[in-house]
Amino acid sequence: MRSRPLQHFNLSVRFHAGVQAQLNDAYRKGVLKHNEEVDKNRYILSKLIDCVKFCGAFELVLRGHDETEESLNPGVFRGLVDFVSSIDSAMEAHLKSATVFKGTSKTIQNELLDCMLEVTRETIVQQLRSTDYVALQADDTTDVSTKTQSVLVFRYIDGNSKVVERFYCFSYLKDSSADTISAAILNELNLILPERSGKEKLIAQSYDGASVMRGASGGVKKKIRDIYPNAHYVHCYAHQLNLIMEQAASKISRVRIFFKELVGITAFFSRSPKRTEVLEQIVARRIPRGSATRWNFNIRAINIIHEHREDLAECMKSITQNTTFDSTSVCEAKGFTRTLEDKEFLFFLLLFHSIMPHVNILYNQLQKRDVDTLFVQRATSDFVISINKVRESIDNLDSELPHDCQFTNRKLQISTLIQEGKETSLLNRYGLISFSTEEQSRLFDTSE
């Protein structure tokens, strides 16, 4: 088995001089030399760990593209190590004289991260086993290589009687099915809470609103509760505001269709680098995709499409006239060209261009850690006032639409859109007000 470089660095325990050292002068000198070497190596290692912790605290990438001695941009970690050596003579001497272990290679960086993670997880496991109640939070995400991985977070009361949240691990998943996700979670839980009493202390599990997670018959929630009967399901409150706004707006079919078309435009470019290249040449901007759990993220797409509508239409026409594009791209581009000239689409684009900034402001306000019930009530009240102002201005939206736009549906009248626009603003307003004060305070209680 390949030895690990960190094992060649002498960090063993310090020796204590006994009777043999008193009788043998050479042995005593050997003990002193050994202890000095251990102390020096531990000091050097502590500085390297401090550099790693600094990068982690500020979410900085450790490694650079080129970490050679001659590199002008070796990366944050190497830069920190060089900086420490400039103000620490022991570190400087180590870097100049070290032959076996210098501590700056990518292998050592990875080993330091692994060791720090192992120590942290051991501490978390000890706290989880000693606490009376534990709550589980899980979600899945993708890494830079587009591989799906599950994120596991525990919420519990530590030894200081404080409610804490601790990230525990990532688990790579072969797919996003309920069986795969629940198996990954249960595998970790079985290692952390192996005793029978551990199965009773897990009192809550929290996921997003996807059916694979919250499904009553075959979802992850049900599979976890079959093993841990006290693990009651709690919806992830971080997503709930956006889900309220999304559900309120989707009550009107034309609004629901508008957001489907909006997502279609963003997805059209994201699925093809060739289409993205044309977009960047003409519009000089990329259209960000929305998020299923963060409805306010649509504001970025709405703003770009509203501000660059003519450029986007020109981009679509360029794709249809370019003979190098496949038939699917040409057909979809023709359809989106008509969408960008449709009066109905542009009406709702302008309407939500006015509404979404207020939703975004409210979302950011309520996601702060130091919110309380009075703050939530005040923020909600300000949101309602802003939406009422938007509703009062809907009658004048027709005059702000481009003069060259036409209704694709010839039977549709602008008065119908104005009425539905007012209904949309009301649904957004009352959808939020329908929450009681208690629910609002619970919704955004992310302290600690």
Side-chain angles (χ1 to χ4, degrees):
M1 184 174 65
R2 183 178 62 88
S3 61
R4 301 176 68 180
L6 196 55
Q7 292 175 344
H8 298 295
F9 199 42
N10 190 356
L11 299 169
S12 58
V13 295
R14 301 174 79 253
F15 292 154
H16 298 282
V19 176
Q20 185 178 0
Q22 297 176 7
L23 300 176
N24 191 326
D25 186 63
Y27 181 79
R28 183 174 67 254
K29 290 181 179 179
V31 170
L32 293 175
K33 182 178 180 182
H34 170 85
N35 290 343
E36 288 177 359
E37 181 183 359
V38 170
D39 289 340
K40 183 187 73 172
N41 290 346
R42 287 182 176 180
Y43 177 80
I44 296 300
L45 188 62
S46 70
K47 296 303 177 184
L48 294 173
I49 292 175
D50 288 341
C51 292
V52 175
K53 290 168 63 178
F54 178 89
C55 294
F58 294 94
E59 299 182 359
L60 301 174
V61 179
L62 272 70
R63 291 197 289 273
H65 178 69
D66 181 7
E67 294 189 349
T68 59
E69 296 291 340
E70 299 79 15
S71 175
L72 298 177
N73 185 20
V76 179
F77 178 78
R78 283 293 304 275
L80 275 174
V81 171
D82 292 340
F83 174 74
V84 171
S85 66
S86 68
I87 59 176
D88 190 313
S89 58
M91 191 71 174
E92 182 182 17
H94 168 75
L95 293 178
K96 289 181 178 180
S97 60
T99 56
V100 177
F101 177 88
K102 183 176 283 189
T104 56
S105 69
K106 63 179 182 180
T107 305
I108 295 299
Q109 293 174 33
N110 288 335
E111 286 195 15
L112 289 175
L113 288 170
D114 290 339
C115 293
M116 294 166 69
L117 176 61
E118 185 175 347
V119 171
T120 302
R121 290 179 64 172
E122 287 178 356
T123 303
I124 294 174
V125 170
Q126 291 175 1
Q127 292 179 349
L128 288 172
R129 290 178 178 176
S130 62
T131 191
D132 293 327
Y133 304 106
V134 179
L136 163 71
Q137 303 175 56
D139 201 354
D140 62 324
T141 184
T142 54
D143 59 14
V144 293
S145 62
T146 68
K147 291 184 178 179
T148 303
Q149 52 187 351
S150 174
V151 182
L152 199 59
V153 177
F154 290 105
R155 185 179 177 92
Y156 56 95
I157 300 175
D158 66 1
N160 298 320
S161 300
K162 291 180 59 180
V163 177
V164 296
E165 283 186 2
R166 296 287 182 257
F167 162 79
Y168 185 74
C169 69
F170 286 113
S171 299
Y172 282 99
L173 307 173
K174 63 179 181 180
D175 55 53
S176 298
S177 66
D179 289 336
T180 302
I181 297 174
S182 59
I185 295 174
L186 288 172
N187 182 58
E188 298 295 340
L189 288 175
N190 290 335
L191 296 175
I192 298 169
L193 306 172
E195 298 85 3
R196 181 178 179 83
S197 60
K199 292 183 170 26
E200 298 177 355
K201 70 169 60 178
L202 184 65
I203 61 172
Q205 51 179 322
S206 180
Y207 316 113
D208 60 23
S211 59
V212 69
M213 305 300 289
R214 60 176 170 80
S217 59
V220 174
K221 173 194 76 172
K222 177 66 167 56
K223 296 180 182 298
I224 298 297
R225 197 166 183 184
D226 287 343
I227 308 299
Y228 297 87
N230 294 336
H232 298 280
Y233 170 69
V234 181
H235 191 285
C236 180
Y237 287 119
H239 301 321
Q240 200 158 341
L241 170 64
N242 290 280
L243 293 174
I244 294 167
M245 309 307 287
E246 180 182 18
Q247 291 172 7
S250 64
K251 296 296 183 182
I252 300 175
S253 61
R254 296 188 196 280
V255 175
R256 184 172 64 253
I257 293 171
F258 164 75
F259 278 103
K260 295 294 184 183
E261 292 173 331
L262 186 75
V263 171
I265 293 175
T266 61
F268 174 75
F269 292 104
S270 65
R271 289 196 298 260
S272 169
K274 191 175 180 180
R275 300 173 191 171
T276 304
E277 182 180 358
V278 177
L279 177 68
E280 292 182 340
Q281 288 176 352
I282 298 178
V283 184
R285 289 287 300 275
R286 290 196 178 191
I287 306 177
R289 299 189 67 172
S291 170
T293 55
R294 293 195 174 188
W295 191 65
N296 62 311
F297 275 22
N298 289 307
I299 187 175
R300 299 177 296 179
I302 288 174
N303 287 343
I304 292 177
I305 295 175
H306 178 267
E307 295 168 6
H308 301 278
R309 182 189 69 89
E310 294 181 355
D311 292 334
L312 282 170
E314 181 64 28
C315 181
M316 296 296 182
K317 292 178 182 178
S318 175
I319 292 175
T320 58
Q321 296 170 2
N322 192 327
T323 57
T324 62
F325 279 96
D326 57 274
S327 57
T328 301
S329 298
V330 172
C331 292
E332 291 183 4
K334 283 185 176 181
F336 288 128
T337 300
R338 290 191 292 270
T339 299
L340 292 170
E341 296 172 351
D342 181 21
K343 198 168 188 177
E344 178 183 346
F345 176 82
L346 297 179
F347 176 86
F348 286 113
L349 181 68
L350 185 58
L351 173 62
F352 283 100
H353 181 68
S354 303
I355 291 177
M356 293 300 283
H358 303 296
V359 177
N360 200 44
I361 291 172
L362 178 65
Y363 181 84
N364 291 331
Q365 287 177 328
L366 300 181
Q367 287 298 307
K368 294 180 179 179
R369 288 183 175 269
D370 55 350
V371 299
D372 54 29
T373 302
L374 292 177
F375 180 86
V376 172
Q377 290 177 327
R378 185 166 59 251
T380 305
S381 177
D382 292 341
F383 173 77
V384 171
I385 293 173
S386 300
I387 294 298
N388 283 337
K389 291 180 180 179
V390 172
R391 186 170 185 271
E392 293 170 359
S393 66
I394 290 178
D395 290 325
N396 301 321
L397 284 184
D398 184 30
S399 61
E400 300 180 33
L401 294 174
H403 297 294
D404 58 342
C405 66
Q406 299 291 332
F407 282 119
T408 303
N409 182 0
R410 301 296 181 182
K411 296 181 181 180
L412 189 62
Q413 300 293 325
I414 189 65
S415 58
T416 304
L417 293 181
I418 291 175
Q419 181 60 34
E420 292 187 351
K422 292 181 178 180
E423 292 177 7
T424 301
S425 62
L426 282 174
L427 286 170
N428 277 271
R429 187 181 72 181
Y430 290 125
L432 183 65
I433 295 176
S434 62
F435 266 158
S436 66
T437 303
E438 180 183 358
E439 287 172 322
Q440 289 175 10
S441 63
R442 289 177 60 205
L443 176 57
F444 307 104
D445 180 14
T446 57
S447 59
E448 193 52 37

